[in-house]
Amino acid sequence: MQLNWPPLQPPPLLVGATGPKTLALSGLTGAGTILTSETSPDQVRAAVEHIDGGPGHEIVVYVAMSSDSDAAPSNLQRWIDAGATTVVLEPAADRFDLAGLFTHAASSTQRS
């Protein structure tokens, strides 16, 4: 397969990883590491120690959200303080009011 219009620069590679060896490899080979919604803030801190990706290495963590209070900035800040550069809100499978959840998170979160 060949792209008709390949990008001038290859897109950055983000590596999904959980174990210590894969986390270390993601730091060496990827522009970022993706952590699952099972990852607590303490586990983010431990993962960052294994990754050692250097400056600019992205740490993306998915955070399971079951209620609007889960999306409160003070709650999300725990993952950022632990080393996450991007927090992705992952609503519960039975959550139907997604607009309310994301509006709550967006309206009270400030980007620096």
Side-chain angles (χ1 to χ4, degrees), residues 40-84:
S40 71
D42 287 338
Q43 290 170 318
V44 170
R45 282 184 195 86
V48 167
E49 290 178 17
H50 290 289
I51 293 167
D52 192 25
H57 188 87
E58 295 288 322
I59 306 293
V60 179
V61 64
Y62 282 74
V63 176
M65 299 283 116
S66 58
S67 69
D68 288 352
S69 63
D70 288 341
S74 59
N75 203 14
L76 299 177
Q77 188 66 42
R78 298 179 327 160
W79 279 270
I80 295 166
D81 292 344

Side-chain angles (χ1 to χ4, degrees), residues 10 18 35 37 87:
T18 55
L35 304 172
S37 62
V87 176

Side-chain angles (χ1 to χ4, degrees), residues 13-36 43 46-53 57-59:
L13 174 68
L14 276 70
V15 179
T18 55
K21 290 180 183 177
T22 310
L23 289 166
L25 185 61
S26 75
L28 293 172
T29 61
T33 302
I34 302 171
L35 304 172
T36 70
Q43 290 170 318
V48 167
E49 290 178 17
H50 290 289
I51 293 167
D52 192 25
H57 188 87
E58 295 288 322
I59 306 293

Side-chain angles (χ1 to χ4, degrees), residues 2-12:
Q2 182 176 353
L3 295 173
N4 288 332
W5 299 281
L8 296 175
Q9 299 273 338

